[in-house]
């Protein structure tokens, strides 16, 4: 939906300064729910293509960013594209976790620990712990003390990492899998607490590669046991190019 609107803005269907149709009209026009429309508008706002004005509506920006970084919504049915997106995510978050291990203060570490404990409580009562997962990784990013990393992570959070977080809501389908995920988070915390950048990098990469594998598991139409997921430790994401 966001890509459709983006294309229409770029083609001049909606011109700079022009008000977009209402959520209701857009939903009916494109045959989607209003929630989908709101999500699309949120993406365009974050990209600086549209602006909202209280009581007036949503308008195409009259000064759209010329050098804004753009990352279109990935096609989850395209294995190559999904693998490349996950590779992009891993490269960024692994580096950030390593920096967090170098730079975190005792105060930062306490906040990361609280987020980890909140995740453990959620897992213990059978909840997916999505919000707690978000908080855990956000505290790690904050511990880098790099405003550019933090800002870019917020962008990725909205556009990419949500792939894995959404998949996590299905962990209850697989006995013992939530505990395995929690153990991965614990390993990340332990490495940061030890102020060991190399160990933090390795733990973060293992977690994210396993998360990518779990994403494929959740999307599989056939039942798969968690034991069939092999932990990823290779240095690159395997891309199936149909060869």
């Amino acid at each position: 939906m966001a890509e459709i609107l983006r294309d229409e803005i770029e083609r001049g269907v909606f011109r700079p300064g022009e008000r977009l149709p209402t959520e209701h009209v857009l939903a009916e026009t494109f045959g989607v729910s209003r929630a989908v429309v709101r999500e699309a508008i949120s993406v365009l706002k974050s990209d600086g293509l549209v602006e909202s004005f209280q009581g007036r509506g949503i308008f195409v920006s009259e000064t759209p960013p010329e050098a804004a970084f753009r990352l279109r919504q990935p096609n989850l049915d395209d294995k190559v594209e999904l693998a490349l997106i996950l590779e992009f995510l891993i490269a960024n978050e692994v580096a950030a976790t390593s920096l967090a291990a170098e730079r975190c203060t005792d105060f930062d570490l306490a906040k990361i620990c609280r987020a980890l404990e909140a995740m453990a409580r959620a897992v213990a009562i059978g909840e997916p712990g999505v919000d707690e997962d978000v908080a855990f990784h956000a505290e790690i990013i904050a511990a880098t003390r790099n405003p550019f990393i933090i800002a870019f992570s917020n962008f990725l959070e909205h556009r990419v990492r949500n792939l894995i977080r959404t998949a996590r809501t299905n962990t209850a389908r697989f006995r013992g899998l939530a505990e395995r995920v929690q153990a991965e988070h614990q390993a990340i915390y332990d490495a940061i607490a030890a102020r060991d950048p190399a160990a933090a990098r390795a733990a973060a990469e293992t977690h994210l590669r396993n998360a990518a594998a779990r994403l494929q598991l959740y999307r599989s139409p056939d039942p798969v046991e968690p034991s069939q997921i092999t932990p990823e430790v290779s240095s690159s994401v395997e891309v199936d190019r149909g060869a």
Side-chain angles (χ1 to χ4, degrees), residues 139-196:
E139 294 296 357
I140 291 173
I141 294 298
T144 68
R145 302 195 175 280
N146 184 318
F148 297 102
I149 290 177
I150 293 169
F152 192 60
S153 178
N154 289 336
F155 175 84
L156 288 177
E157 182 68 51
H158 182 65
R159 302 298 294 276
V160 179
R161 192 174 176 86
N162 196 45
L163 293 172
I164 294 173
R165 296 262 170 71
T166 299
R168 180 176 171 143
T169 62
N170 294 314
T171 55
R173 292 166 48 197
F174 304 99
R175 185 173 56 189
L177 190 52
E179 288 75 13
R180 287 175 56 180
V181 175
Q182 185 64 10
E184 293 170 14
H185 286 124
Q186 181 69 54
I188 293 172
Y189 170 79
D190 289 344
I192 293 174
R195 270 69 172 187
D196 187 335

Side-chain angles (χ1 to χ4, degrees), residues 6 24-25 56 63 66-67 70 88 108-109 113 121 130-131 134 142 169 175 187-188 196 232:
R6 185 195 307 279
H24 177 73
V25 171
R56 295 175 55 200
T63 55
E66 296 181 0
R70 293 179 181 176
F88 178 58
D108 294 328
L109 190 62
C113 183
R121 289 192 294 271
V130 174
D131 291 342
V134 170
T169 62
R175 185 173 56 189
I188 293 172
D196 187 335
E232 272 282 3

